[in-house]
């Protein structure tokens, strides 16, 4: 605990010194981060393989590549982001200048989760550094090799008096939460999100919570075979592609019309075989379950007899290797845990509906997810989905890709969280946007001051309405 | 049935069923319609126009607020807010196109071709808890934002301004859509009952102690909060300025704003030892011009809101190490809850008056050797809601802007930024989180939903397993390479 407080004091000192405020320092840190992931790429691949059985291509696509892209984007845009934004002022205030200037919040705490232990750790760090803060990063202990990697190499490349990696379990997390931070950025489950926000409330610390939810895929009945093929590939890519379903924006379940379901299911089975081979449990192209606890949790979901009866593909598990093969279920009971809790694993329930329009009601009767996916060419239906459902984001005709888009804010709503990041939103989330109004001594508006009288009242009334004409008349004595 | 109707206690059950009712209304889609939002805003405008006299009377009851202040700071400002919303709402509700620059095309080839937009949607059912010092404005201004953004809402006005609270309950009940907009009056019990419920957002104006309680309650439901709190807003007064104008602006911001009981009122002044005598002299002169020789008799400022706060403020003045530092004023009238404009010089930094937000008509002046020393003093405290600087020195101004962290800064004036709707109004650190006014109010009560439209074409096989070394190479170039290297990569000429 003492060590932690000393470390924190050092970070406060560094921030106070003003070092992190200048653009040069921030750019150097970003460059160093890029250097780090270039130099140590193999070590990162190795750590991800150890922690999650993640294949290098997946690791590059979802972790290293994301960080590189993010850091490069921040480097290119930093000056633009740092520049104050001019605000237009009403004539009444002339002459005056108004602007909004972004300033760093101070010392920030970032909690990373275990499923994308590199990108979900370093991506927020990029935003925090770009905004000029000092940082404590707490990687997840459930991805120990990655945590070790970060603890070892981040201090070697980045300014260790400004950016610290503190590893450990829940007890360390608790200790960190007792301190006063200028911002806390948390990626993880709603349960822990509540704990984080409650702790933050004691110090009035603003928080960004990136949580999860059951992200549905609405699959409309499509006619073109190539569209159906692409849809199925992308659904698979969005389910088992990212960390074997252990992803906050991973596909959780599918909604499809009863008539169309057999086509989809058939193609799903075929494509899974193409991607993962005859023995998916042996495939190197799919992650394992992170640990025994989650393996047990997922196993339990399947143990419910009614759920087990609905399995139409896969279902086999390897407890030793912590691998569950891609499993598809058809219409498990809606009150079973597999349909009430976020699955976060390689089990894909398919829920059939009479009419695809019912999917909107289905989604709305459940907590707001982090994202909604919909494969449809029907523009009316698209508009309906956007205006009648609520989620962090909506992606049409694909899965996962919104994560890589720097121009779109990434964050949840309701139970899936609040706050957002990526691109400039990362910079903003770690900044305070300070309003600045600069006035001159001349001219002076007498009606601002007591003693009050009718004239002054009228003047200000017109002033507030920006009714310059009547103001002028009043001043010239032409208005009663 | 007795002749007296028993007042039903607003308990958790009542709160829960209220939220349920409002949620049902929201789910029906009523509040989302553009017409509904516009009609509610227009009703609010009508409400103010027709009942201005009653509003002014209620404010006089609650705070002895002079009609001028009520009209300007509460009514006119609110009217302005509504008019702006009516004018701009059609722009605010439009989705924002996300522009994917060519740069982005190169760095995320896997997202091309696509188009994206950011759609504003209402959060749902929101709770607005208001304060007592500008009880009319601080209740209805956030409501304007909530309505413009399409939410259903509950407004809980402050019980410390009871006349305004009951007037709000009456008027809102009469003029606004009862199915979606409610006022709940009450104190701790009722507020706690409300805070137990699940809201889609809570907007709180008040102090840091209760702010913590609000945020902790919100945490249970993962409800986002916007907290408009306070702090000690400092005024740094440099030399070589137009002293008379500066002093008048300080007075207007201090005693002219609810007699110092405002979150962005100048709390204390820092100036140089050399300049202080001149400053104090000018303050004395201007105060007399504004409020006369007997300020306790002046009708031109508000009284202290209640005896609790009166006692609190007199305690600040009566502290041993402070009472001798009064250089102007200090008179009080307990019956009428009035304290004269009081100036103190060089009170100890660890005195009570310097440890908490004053929120009253007492103005301590701290002196320093060099004016630059003032920044260290300000930064040694918690971040205030506003900070003010009077100077003609460009360098000092730049230093101030860079080094002083506060919700908002004003140079050569006080409190005015509140009236500029193009500037976000909110705090940082202890002074709060989030901002509102103008479009920022609309945004505060909206969820900005990212929507990405992809085509079925343009699928990169490199996304899918089975993964190979070749795919890895290609992936690298696609994600981070230039168009040239992408082409090379695709053609198999990449060195990677």
């Amino acid at each position: 605990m003492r060590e932690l407080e000393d470390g924190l004091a050092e970070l406060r000192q560094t921030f106070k010194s003003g070092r992190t405020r200048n653009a040069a320092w921030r750019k150097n840190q970003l460059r160093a981060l890029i250097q780090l992931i270039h130099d140590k790429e193999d070590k990162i691949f190795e750590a991800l393989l150890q922690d999650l059985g993640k294949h290098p291509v997946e690791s590059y696509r979802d972790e290293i590549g994301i960080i590189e892209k993010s850091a490069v984007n921040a480097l290119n845009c930093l000056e633009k982001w740092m520049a104050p934004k001019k605000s237009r002022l009403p004539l009444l205030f002339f002459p005056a200048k108004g602007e909004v200037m972004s300033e760093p919040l101070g010392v920030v705490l970032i909690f990373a989760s275990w499923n994308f232990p590199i990108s979900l750790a370093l991506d927020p760090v990029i935003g925090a550094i770009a905004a000029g803060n000092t940082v404590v990063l707490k990687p997840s202990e459930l991805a120990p090799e990655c945590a070790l990697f970060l603890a070892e190499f981040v201090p070697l490349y980045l300014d260790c008096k400004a950016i610290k990696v503190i590893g450990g379990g829940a007890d360390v997390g608790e200790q960190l939460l007792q301190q006063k931070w200028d911002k806390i950025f948390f990626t993880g489950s709603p349960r822990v999100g509540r704990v984080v926000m409650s702790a933050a409330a004691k110090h009035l610390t603003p928080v960004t919570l990136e949580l999860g939810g059951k992200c549905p895929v609405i699959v409309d009945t499509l006619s073109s075979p190539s569209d159906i093929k692409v849809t199925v590939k992308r659904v698979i890519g969005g389910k088992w592609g990212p960390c074997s379903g252990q992803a906050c924006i991973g596909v959780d379940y599918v909604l499809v019309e009863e008539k169309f379901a057999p086509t989809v299911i058939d193609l799903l089975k075929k494509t899974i075989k193409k991607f993962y081979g005859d023995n998916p449990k042996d495939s190197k192209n799919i992650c394992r379950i992170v640990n025994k606890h989650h393996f047990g949790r997922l196993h339990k979901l399947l143990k419910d007899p009614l759920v087990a009866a609905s399995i139409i593909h896969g279902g086999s598990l390897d407890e030793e290797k912590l691998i569950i093969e891609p499993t598809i279920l058809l219409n498990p009971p809606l009150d079973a845990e597999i349909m009430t809790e976020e699955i976060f694993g390689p089990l894909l329930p398919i829920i059939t509906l009479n009419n695809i329009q019912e999917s909107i009601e289905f989604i709305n009767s459940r907590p707001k997810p982090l994202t909604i996916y919909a494969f449809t060419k029907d523009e009316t239906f698209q508009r309906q989905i956007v205006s009648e459902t609520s989620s962090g984001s909506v992606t049409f005709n694909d899965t996962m890709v919104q994560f890589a888009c720097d121009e779109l804010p990434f964050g949840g709503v309701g139970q899936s969280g609040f706050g957002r990041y990526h691109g400039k939103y990362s910079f903003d989330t770690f900044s305070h946007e300070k309003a600045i109004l600069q006035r001159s001594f001349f001219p002076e508006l007498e009606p601002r001051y007591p003693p009050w009288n009718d004239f002054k009242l009228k003047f200000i009334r017109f002033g507030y309405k920006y009714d310059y004409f009547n103001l002028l008349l009043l001043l010239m004595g032409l208005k009663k | 049935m007795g002749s007296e109707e028993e007042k039903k206690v607003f308990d958790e059950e009542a709160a829960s069923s209220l939220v349920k009712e409002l949620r049902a209304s929201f789910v029906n889609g009523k509040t989302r319609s553009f017409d509904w939002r516009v009609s509610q805003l227009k009703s609010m405008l009508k409400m103010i126009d027709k009942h201005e006299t009653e509003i002014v009377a209620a404010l006089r009851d609650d705070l002895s607020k002079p009609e001028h202040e009520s009209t300007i700071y509460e009514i006119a400002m609110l009217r302005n807010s509504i008019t702006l919303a009516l004018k701009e709402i059609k722009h605010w509700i439009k989705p924002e196109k996300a522009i994917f620059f060519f740069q982005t095309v190169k760095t995320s080839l896997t997202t091309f071709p696509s188009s994206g937009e950011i759609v504003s949607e209402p959060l749902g059912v929101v709770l607005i808890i208001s304060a007592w010092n500008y009880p009319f404005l601080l209740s209805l201004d956030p409501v304007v934002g909530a309505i413009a953004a399409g939410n259903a809402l509950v407004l809980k006005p402050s019980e410390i301004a009871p006349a305004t609270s009951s007037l709000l309950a009456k008027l809102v009940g009469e003029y606004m859509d009862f199915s979606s907009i409610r006022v709940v009056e009450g104190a701790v019990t009722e507020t706690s009952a409300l805070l137990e419920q699940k809201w889609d957002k809570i907007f709180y104006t008040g102090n840091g102690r209760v702010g913590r309680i609000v945020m902790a309650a919100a945490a249970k439901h993962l409800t986002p909060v916007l907290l408009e709190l306070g702090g000690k807003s400092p005024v740094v007064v440099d030399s070589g300025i137009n002293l008379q104008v500066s002093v008048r602006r300080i007075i207007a911001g201090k005693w002219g704003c609810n007699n110092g009981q405002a979150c962005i009122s100048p709390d204390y002044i820092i100036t140089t030892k050399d300049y202080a005598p001149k400053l104090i002299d000018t303050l004395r002169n201007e105060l007399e011009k504004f409020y006369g020789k007997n300020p306790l008799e002046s009708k031109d400022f508000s009284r202290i809101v209640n005896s609790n706060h009166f006692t609190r403020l007199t305690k600040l003045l009566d502290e041993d190490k402070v009472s001798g530092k009064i250089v102007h004023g200090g008179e009080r009238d307990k019956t009428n809850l009035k304290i004269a404009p009081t100036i103190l010089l060089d009170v100890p930094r660890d005195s009570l008056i310097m440890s908490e937000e004053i929120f009253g008509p007492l103005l301590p002046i701290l002196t320093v050797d060099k004016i630059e020393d003032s920044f260290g003093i300000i930064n040694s405290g918690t971040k205030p809601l506003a900070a003010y600087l009077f100077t003609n020195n460009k360098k000092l101004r730049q230093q101030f802007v860079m080094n002083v962290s506060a919700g908002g800064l004003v140079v050569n004036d006080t409190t005015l930024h509140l009236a500029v709707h193009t500037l976000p109004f909110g705090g940082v650190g202890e002074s709060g989180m989030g901002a509102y006014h103008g479009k920022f109010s609309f945004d505060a009560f909206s969820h900005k939903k990212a929507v990405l439209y992809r085509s079925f074409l343009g699928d990169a096989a490199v996304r899918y397993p089975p993964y190979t070394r070749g795919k890895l190479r290609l992936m690298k170039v696609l994600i981070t390479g230039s168009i040239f290297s992408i082409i090379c990569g695709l053609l198999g000429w990449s060195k990677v």
Side-chain angles (χ1 to χ4, degrees):
Chain A
M1 185 65 152
R2 193 58 218 275
E3 213 182 296
L4 202 145
E5 285 171 358
D6 287 343
L8 199 52
E10 189 176 31
L11 291 174
R12 269 200 199 288
Q13 197 48 40
T14 304
F15 182 74
K16 221 169 141 192
S17 77
R19 180 157 88 240
T20 65
R21 308 282 307 249
N22 67 65
W25 180 87
R26 305 183 199 191
K27 286 184 150 180
N28 282 336
Q29 295 307 298
L30 293 171
R31 283 190 199 103
L33 192 60
I34 296 171
Q35 195 63 48
L36 164 59
I37 56 173
H38 279 173
D39 289 351
K40 304 294 171 194
E41 188 180 277
D42 285 334
K43 278 203 171 345
I44 297 176
F45 283 152
E46 181 59 39
L48 286 164
L49 191 64
Q50 292 259 22
D51 281 338
L52 296 154
K54 209 173 268 208
H55 189 284
V57 170
E58 211 187 303
S59 295
Y60 190 83
R61 185 194 68 204
D62 295 346
E63 309 247 21
I64 298 174
I66 294 285
I67 295 303
E68 170 142 14
K69 176 188 65 64
S70 206
V72 167
N73 187 48
L75 261 176
N76 289 337
C77 297
L78 190 66
E79 253 115 26
K80 195 169 68 172
W81 294 346
M82 283 176 72
K85 283 199 301 272
K86 297 241 173 293
S87 302
R88 222 180 21 105
L89 297 182
L91 193 63
L92 187 69
F93 296 95
F94 181 84
K97 255 179 24 175
E99 62 183 19
V100 177
M101 187 179 103
S102 291
E103 59 176 30
L105 291 165
V107 184
V108 309
L109 172 62
I110 295 172
F111 283 103
S113 70
W114 51 260
N115 54 346
F116 297 88
I118 299 292
S119 57
L120 295 183
L122 295 177
D123 208 357
V125 169
I126 289 171
I129 291 175
N133 300 277
T134 55
V135 184
V136 165
L137 167 63
K138 158 83 181 61
S140 169
E141 72 279 17
L142 297 188
E145 292 304 316
C146 289
L148 278 172
F149 169 83
L150 290 167
E152 188 180 336
F153 291 103
V154 166
L156 293 182
Y157 282 76
L158 268 48
D159 183 345
C160 62
K161 289 206 167 70
I163 298 142
K164 294 192 187 292
V165 178
I166 298 183
D171 52 334
V172 172
E174 265 169 47
Q175 283 176 27
L176 286 168
L177 284 175
Q178 278 169 36
Q179 308 301 320
K180 176 176 172 5
W181 305 92
D182 297 301
K183 171 109 190 187
I184 300 178
F185 186 103
F186 171 80
T187 307
S189 73
R191 185 188 64 82
V192 182
R194 286 184 177 85
V195 173
V196 170
M197 190 174 169
S198 300
K202 297 202 181 81
H203 298 286
L204 291 174
T205 298
V207 301
T208 291
L209 302 177
E210 295 271 335
L211 310 176
K214 289 181 80 61
C215 298
V217 184
I218 301 171
V219 179
D220 196 2
T221 303
L222 303 159
S223 43
S224 142
S226 73
D227 286 350
I228 302 174
K229 252 168 102 185
V230 167
T231 298
V232 166
K233 275 205 290 190
R234 289 176 181 182
V235 168
I236 296 177
K239 179 69 179 186
W240 296 283
C243 211
S244 192
Q246 300 164 104
C248 53
I249 46 165
V251 166
D252 190 281
Y253 64 98
V254 171
L255 291 164
V256 68
E257 266 177 14
E258 208 175 333
K259 300 192 284 353
F260 194 50
T263 315
V264 173
I265 292 171
D266 193 52
L267 202 51
L268 271 169
K269 290 181 181 173
K270 289 201 176 81
T271 318
I272 288 174
K273 196 149 171 216
K274 213 169 83 178
F275 286 179
Y276 303 114
D278 287 316
N279 285 321
K281 293 213 298 290
D282 295 330
S283 170
K284 298 266 174 290
N285 289 175
I286 190 168
C287 287
R288 66 153 206 270
I289 307 306
V290 66
N291 60 18
K292 273 188 157 33
H293 164 76
H294 281 279
F295 184 91
R297 178 184 65 79
L298 289 162
H299 195 176
K300 189 159 154 265
L301 293 181
L302 293 177
K303 283 199 180 124
D304 180 330
L306 290 172
V307 172
S310 68
I311 299 178
I312 54 168
H313 181 89
S316 78
L317 316 97
D318 182 335
E319 187 157 358
E320 208 189 298
K321 296 211 198 109
L322 293 178
I323 296 194
I324 300 177
E325 70 164 312
T327 300
I328 305 176
L329 307 95
L330 181 59
N331 288 321
L334 296 179
D335 58 357
E337 219 177 301
I338 200 173
M339 280 311 293
T340 58
E341 298 295 311
E342 187 177 2
I343 295 170
F344 226 67
L347 321 173
L348 180 68
I350 296 183
I351 309 294
T352 59
L353 308 163
N354 284 330
N355 186 318
I356 199 65
Q357 303 283 336
E358 292 165 26
S359 55
I360 292 186
E361 161 88 50
F362 190 97
I363 293 170
N364 283 342
S365 58
R366 288 162 172 77
K368 301 176 183 182
L370 190 48
T371 208
I372 293 175
Y373 298 112
F375 286 83
T376 179
K377 284 183 131 148
D378 181 345
E379 277 180 27
T380 314
F381 189 41
Q382 282 182 355
R383 273 197 297 276
Q384 239 190 317
I385 292 171
V386 171
S387 59
E388 293 178 26
T389 64
S390 183
S391 55
S393 61
V394 181
T395 296
F396 287 107
N397 304 331
D398 210 331
T399 57
M400 302 301 292
V401 287
Q402 73 274 27
F403 192 76
C405 211
D406 285 320
E407 277 65 25
L408 291 175
F410 184 81
V413 66
Q415 295 293 103
S416 49
F418 54 81
R420 56 212 188 152
Y421 73 128
H422 285 181
K424 178 162 197 291
Y425 301 104
S426 291
F427 178 87
D428 290 342
T429 215
F430 289 103
S431 299
H432 164 53
E433 289 178 39
K434 186 165 72 180
I436 304 169
L437 181 62
Q438 299 216 32
R439 291 261 296 152
S440 101
F441 289 105
F442 177 83
E444 253 294 75
L445 282 180
E446 284 308 310
R448 282 180 67 176
Y449 310 112
W452 306 130
N453 56 41
D454 259 343
F455 171 87
K456 291 184 177 181
L457 187 56
K458 275 204 190 70
F459 186 97
I460 297 186
R461 270 189 206 275
F462 289 138
Y464 262 110
K465 292 185 183 161
Y466 307 127
D467 189 345
Y468 301 112
F469 179 67
N470 276 314
L471 258 180
L472 207 56
L473 292 181
L474 184 67
L475 280 168
M476 294 193 299
L478 295 174
K479 189 106 184 157
K480 266 282 167 277
Chain B
M1 207 48 163
S3 55
E4 252 191 40
E5 249 197 54
E6 230 182 84
K7 188 162 190 255
K8 264 208 349 236
V9 172
F10 187 83
D11 56 6
E12 263 186 62
E13 207 184 304
S16 166
S17 76
L18 173 60
V19 174
K20 228 158 130 188
E21 218 185 301
L22 290 171
R23 219 168 264 299
S25 178
F26 177 75
V27 161
N28 270 332
K30 192 163 191 201
T31 62
R32 301 185 73 135
S33 101
F34 180 77
D35 290 334
W36 181 88
R37 305 182 204 194
V38 167
S39 78
Q40 291 305 292
L41 293 173
K42 285 193 172 140
S43 292
M44 215 192 266
L45 213 49
K46 210 164 98 189
M47 178 176 97
I48 302 172
D49 286 340
K50 288 204 136 79
H51 297 268
E52 193 171 322
T53 324
E54 285 160 73
I55 297 167
V56 169
L59 291 167
R60 198 179 304 118
D61 253 350
D62 284 334
L63 300 151
S64 299
K65 200 172 271 204
E67 181 181 346
H68 195 119
E69 262 191 68
S70 296
T71 311
I72 302 321
Y73 290 114
E74 304 237 25
I75 296 171
M77 276 202 67
L78 182 66
R79 209 184 257 125
N80 227 33
S81 196
I82 302 173
T83 322
L84 179 80
L86 277 169
K87 183 162 156 253
E88 297 292 313
I89 189 174
K90 58 182 180 293
H91 300 298
W92 294 348
I93 60 173
K94 278 210 278 258
E96 228 181 281
K97 282 257 168 279
I99 302 174
F100 298 143
F101 288 117
F102 190 73
Q103 257 184 318
T104 314
V105 169
K106 95 161 178 297
T107 58
S108 28
L109 209 67
T110 42
T111 62
F112 177 84
S114 45
S115 74
E117 58 186 14
I118 300 165
V119 170
S120 293
E121 57 179 35
L123 289 165
V125 183
V126 306
L127 172 64
I128 295 169
I129 302 175
S130 168
W132 56 260
N133 56 341
Y134 287 83
F136 190 72
L137 177 70
L138 297 180
S139 295
L140 294 181
D141 205 359
V143 169
V144 171
I147 291 176
N151 300 277
L153 67 105
V154 169
L155 167 64
K156 158 73 187 69
S158 170
E159 71 278 13
I160 299 181
T164 311
S165 174
S166 68
L167 182 62
L168 279 167
K170 173 166 155 267
L171 291 179
V172 168
E174 257 175 59
Y175 283 82
M176 316 290 293
D177 179 356
F178 189 74
S179 72
S180 313
I181 301 170
R182 300 288 178 87
V183 173
V184 172
E185 289 192 81
V188 176
T189 317
E190 290 78 4
T191 311
S192 306
L194 287 168
L195 286 174
E196 281 292 306
Q197 310 310 315
K198 175 172 172 9
W199 304 92
D200 297 300
K201 180 122 185 182
I202 301 178
F203 184 110
Y204 169 76
T205 308
N207 64 58
R209 189 186 60 83
V210 178
R212 282 170 169 80
I213 297 173
V214 170
M215 190 170 168
K220 298 202 181 85
H221 298 286
L222 293 172
T223 298
V225 301
L226 200 160
L227 305 176
E228 294 271 332
L229 310 175
K232 293 181 79 59
S233 299
V235 188
V236 177
V237 180
D238 193 13
S239 52
I241 53 172
N242 185 330
L243 188 52
Q244 196 198 27
V245 170
S246 305
V247 160
R248 298 169 92 188
R249 292 177 179 183
I250 293 172
I251 297 177
K254 177 77 172 185
W255 297 281
C257 280
N258 208 26
N259 205 7
Q261 301 163 104
C263 51
I264 47 168
S265 249
D267 188 280
Y268 66 102
I269 293 182
I270 309 178
T271 192
T272 55
K273 287 189 165 51
D274 292 333
Y275 205 59
K278 253 181 107 185
L279 175 61
I280 295 173
D281 255 346
T282 314
L283 273 165
R284 281 207 190 98
N285 286 337
E286 294 302 315
L287 276 170
E288 192 175 313
K289 279 197 214 149
F290 285 15
Y291 302 113
K293 281 202 189 306
N294 286 323
L296 285 177
E297 327 248 310
S298 170
K299 295 262 175 295
D300 283 340
F301 44 30
S302 309
R303 68 163 198 262
I304 306 307
V305 66
N306 61 23
S307 50
N308 276 346
H309 280 275
F310 184 88
T311 310
R312 179 183 66 81
L313 288 163
T314 50
K315 204 160 135 234
L316 296 182
L317 280 182
D318 294 338
E319 196 185 4
D320 272 339
K321 43 191 166 175
V322 163
S323 53
K325 306 286 185 181
I326 299 176
V327 295
H328 181 87
E331 303 93 352
R332 34 198 113 160
D333 176 352
K334 192 163 180 184
T335 328
N336 293 312
L337 293 176
K338 291 207 163 193
I339 300 177
T342 303
I343 305 172
L344 306 96
L345 181 59
D346 280 327
V347 298
R349 301 267 292 280
D350 61 353
S351 54
L352 277 175
I353 200 174
M354 283 310 294
S355 333
E356 55 178 72
E357 187 176 2
I358 295 170
F359 226 68
L362 321 175
L363 182 66
I365 300 179
L366 300 180
T367 58
V368 290
D369 291 322
K370 285 189 330 321
I371 197 65
E372 290 82 0
D373 296 342
S374 59
F375 302 153
I377 297 178
I378 298 172
N379 289 335
S380 68
T382 58
K383 299 178 187 182
L385 189 51
Y388 307 109
L389 169 67
F390 286 87
T391 188
N392 274 321
N393 181 336
K394 191 164 168 205
K395 186 153 164 260
L396 189 69
R397 194 180 69 207
Q398 274 165 358
Q399 272 182 298
F400 179 72
V401 167
M402 278 306 294
N403 293 317
V404 173
S405 183
L409 303 179
V410 184
V411 179
N412 295 337
D413 213 324
T414 61
T415 70
L416 222 58
H417 60 307
L418 186 84
V420 180
H421 66 82
T422 48
L423 289 174
F425 184 78
V428 63
E430 281 287 327
S431 52
M433 54 183 83
Y436 75 128
H437 287 179
K439 181 169 192 286
F440 303 102
S441 292
F442 176 86
D443 292 341
F445 288 102
S446 300
H447 167 52
K448 302 287 179 178
K449 184 162 74 178
V451 182
L452 181 63
Y453 298 88
R454 287 266 292 146
S455 122
F456 285 97
L457 307 169
D459 219 17
V462 78
R463 282 174 66 172
Y464 307 114
Y467 299 133
T468 62
R469 270 233 82 79
K471 281 189 179 176
L472 180 57
R473 266 200 303 273
L474 198 53
M475 174 83 56
K476 285 190 180 184
V477 218
L478 280 177
I479 289 182
T480 58
S482 62
I483 281 288
F484 178 70
S485 51
I486 289 173
I487 295 175
C488 286
L490 283 166
L491 293 173
W493 291 347
S494 179
K495 278 202 302 268
V496 179

